[in-house]
Amino acid sequence: MAKKLDQILVVDVESTCWDGPPPEGEEGEIIEIGLCVVDVAKLERLSKHSIFVRPERSTISPFCTELTTLTPDMFASAGSLRDAVKRLKQEFDSKDRLWASWGDYDRRQFERVCRAAGVGYPFGITHLNVKSLFAVSLGLKHEVGLDVAYETLGLQMEGTHHRGDDDAWNIAGILCRLLGAARVTKP
């Protein structure tokens, strides 16, 4: 269980991708870790961060650039996955805090790429799937994408969809709204 419940780390990853299967010898790997820190007491988004991760077993395809706006030259000075994991642990106390993402993709992707790279998993075992929480909170018959969730709430997403930091910020906005609605005021 999470040891610290003062903040929730909302995470959204972008990974190398292709229009179809990856080229031979390449695999999808995390290239951007978007993170938004949420203050649990105030239900406010405190900060957003973008951590670039240099791809080692794949290239950033034109399709990936079109989807995410991330270009290969943006990663010239990016650190490794090991560097990013170290930063998450040291700067954000990620091992001891509840973390959240939109769906289960981000959790599974972290598990897979960390295992493949021989890097320790940066989070504890407590993960909150905001996509499922949104669907059950609103009584939906199925989960929906982040953009549809914003439309459902009559809100506008901020920033660029499919950029890690902006998506983490937008996920955190929905999470704060859901948690706020769940809180009961004392008489």
Side-chain angles (χ1 to χ4, degrees), residues 81-89 110 114 119-122:
L81 178 64
R82 186 174 305 282
D83 297 330
V85 163
K86 183 177 180 181
R87 181 174 173 198
L88 288 170
K89 289 177 180 177
F110 255 110
C114 286
V119 173
Y121 186 67

Side-chain angles (χ1 to χ4, degrees), residues 19-72:
D19 188 13
E24 189 167 330
E26 294 192 33
E27 59 187 73
E29 58 186 323
I30 294 171
I31 54 174
E32 182 187 20
I33 302 167
L35 185 138
C36 179
V37 179
V38 170
D39 180 298
V40 172
K42 296 178 182 176
L43 292 181
E44 291 179 359
R45 298 175 286 189
L46 298 177
S47 60
K48 75 175 180 175
H49 309 268
S50 176
I51 303 170
F52 283 176
V53 180
R54 182 181 57 254
E56 296 178 358
R57 293 177 306 284
S58 62
T59 56
I60 298 171
S61 70
F63 173 81
C64 188
T65 296
E66 185 178 326
L67 181 67
T68 66
T69 72
L70 298 169
T71 62

Side-chain angles (χ1 to χ4, degrees), residues 68-138:
T68 66
T69 72
L70 298 169
T71 62
D73 60 312
M74 295 169 78
F75 294 85
S77 61
S80 67
L81 178 64
R82 186 174 305 282
D83 297 330
V85 163
K86 183 177 180 181
R87 181 174 173 198
L88 288 170
K89 289 177 180 177
Q90 290 180 346
E91 192 174 323
F92 300 100
D93 234 353
S94 62
K95 272 293 205 194
D96 294 328
R97 286 207 162 91
L98 172 63
W99 76 286
S101 63
W102 192 260
D104 218 26
Y105 169 81
D106 303 85
R107 183 186 61 78
R108 288 192 321 268
Q109 183 70 336
F110 255 110
E111 289 171 349
R112 188 185 68 72
V113 299
C114 286
R115 189 171 40 254
V119 173
Y121 186 67
F123 302 105
I125 60 169
T126 312
H127 173 259
L128 179 60
N129 182 330
V130 183
K131 187 178 192 179
S132 294
L133 179 63
F134 180 80
V136 297
S137 293
L138 273 68

